[in-house]
Amino acid sequence: MKMKVLLSLLALWGAFVSYAQTNDRYIEVTGTSEIEIVPDKIHYLIEIREYFVEEFDGKSKPEEYRTKVPLSEIEQGVRKALAEAAVPQDAIRTEEVGDYWRQQGQDFLIAKRLDVTLTDFNQINEIVKRIDTRGVNTMRIGELENKDMLAYHQKGKIEALKAAQRKAAYLVEALGKKLGGVLRIVEEGSGNSFSLSQSNVMSSDAASFESFRTIKKKYSMLVRFAIAD
């Protein structure tokens, strides 16, 4: 007799749980936002590398290259061009140094990358106009920074949450219901909407950097709301 009562109670509990699960009413939506941030610090990366004078005479073959221009001379010219572009010396940091094999039978060519911190994109135009590109392997925009980045991140996430709320509200209202409280929030992956690793930026016009003048960040929030009568 006790066993039958127990089985009956378990059956009733199972029915209650099943009913509770099927009776849950909620809507789950994704809200997104995008923010453009004007950088106050621009990392401009200049890679310099030793070269042979004969490379630029228009007639010599690689096996005839003899007169190598040392890295110290190239760096001196680059730093002079940067100074003329109003870039202070303390804004220039040596990031890495390496050896690059040129061809079989040729000398190693020493290379170095300079990380130049700028505050204005127009400075790039001034640098490009003054720099001797012989001995410069690549120039490109690196990381863009803003001192208030954390505040921008918070704003972007809040706007994404509000967007999710607006979307959920008009969807349930279309069914004659009302939006209830928040049941679940999941922050989805966010990041730059473009890559900053552009290669060989050697233009003579700063307008070429137009698409890189702002930091574009996208935010996405998955939110579950209860549905009320």
Side-chain angles (χ1 to χ4, degrees):
M1 185 68 178
K2 289 184 178 179
M3 180 64 70
K4 288 183 178 180
V5 172
L6 178 60
L7 288 173
S8 297
L9 288 172
L10 287 173
L12 286 171
W13 172 249
F16 173 76
V17 171
S18 176
Y19 174 78
Q21 288 176 340
T22 57
N23 199 46
D24 277 350
R25 297 184 302 172
Y26 65 83
I27 182 172
E28 195 169 76
V29 298
T30 298
T32 60
S33 69
E34 183 174 318
I35 290 182
E36 289 195 20
I37 307 165
V38 177
D40 53 23
K41 186 181 290 186
I42 305 153
H43 289 273
Y44 194 51
L45 306 178
I46 303 175
E47 184 184 290
I48 58 177
R49 189 174 65 182
E50 293 178 330
Y51 66 95
F52 292 94
V53 173
E54 290 81 7
E55 291 183 55
F56 299 93
D57 64 12
K59 58 182 181 180
S60 297
K61 297 178 181 180
E63 59 269 21
E64 299 173 330
Y65 295 169
R66 295 290 183 271
T67 315
K68 185 166 63 175
V69 179
L71 190 67
S72 57
E73 182 178 326
I74 299 169
E75 182 174 356
Q76 183 179 3
V78 169
R79 287 182 178 271
K80 182 175 182 294
L82 292 172
E84 291 172 353
V87 177
Q89 290 300 305
D90 60 3
I92 306 169
R93 188 182 70 211
T94 300
E95 194 167 74
E96 62 182 29
V97 178
D99 296 341
Y100 290 79
W101 184 253
R102 185 176 181 77
Q103 288 186 16
Q104 187 174 3
Q106 290 282 356
D107 291 339
F108 277 106
L109 297 176
I110 309 300
K112 178 185 292 188
R113 186 160 70 179
L114 305 177
D115 184 340
V116 185
T117 303
L118 308 175
T119 57
D120 188 342
F121 280 96
N122 290 324
Q123 289 178 285
I124 297 176
N125 192 30
E126 296 302 315
I127 292 170
V128 172
K129 284 193 300 187
R130 290 171 169 79
I131 203 165
D132 181 358
T133 56
R134 290 181 299 180
V136 175
N137 193 36
T138 60
M139 296 193 295
R140 64 184 177 88
I141 295 172
E143 185 180 4
L144 302 179
E145 300 179 30
N146 185 289
K147 63 180 181 299
D148 298 319
M149 190 65 76
L150 180 59
Y152 282 111
H153 285 330
Q154 292 174 346
K155 180 181 178 182
K157 293 173 186 179
I158 290 171
E159 291 302 316
L161 281 173
K162 290 180 178 179
Q165 186 180 39
R166 289 192 297 268
K167 183 192 292 186
Y170 73 68
L171 288 174
V172 297
E173 287 171 7
L175 300 175
K177 302 295 183 180
K178 293 181 180 179
L179 195 65
V182 177
L183 301 176
R184 181 170 178 256
I185 297 175
V186 177
E187 181 182 349
E188 299 186 319
S190 61
N192 292 331
S193 60
F194 62 89
S195 172
L196 296 175
S197 56
Q198 302 299 306
S199 63
N200 289 39
V201 179
M202 301 293 283
S203 172
S204 60
D205 187 354
S208 303
F209 306 103
E210 191 64 39
S211 60
F212 301 101
R213 288 182 181 272
T214 59
I215 306 167
K216 296 180 181 179
K217 296 290 291 182
K218 289 183 177 179
Y219 302 88
S220 181
M221 305 292 283
L222 179 68
V223 188
R224 180 180 295 181
F225 298 92
I227 298 176
D229 292 323

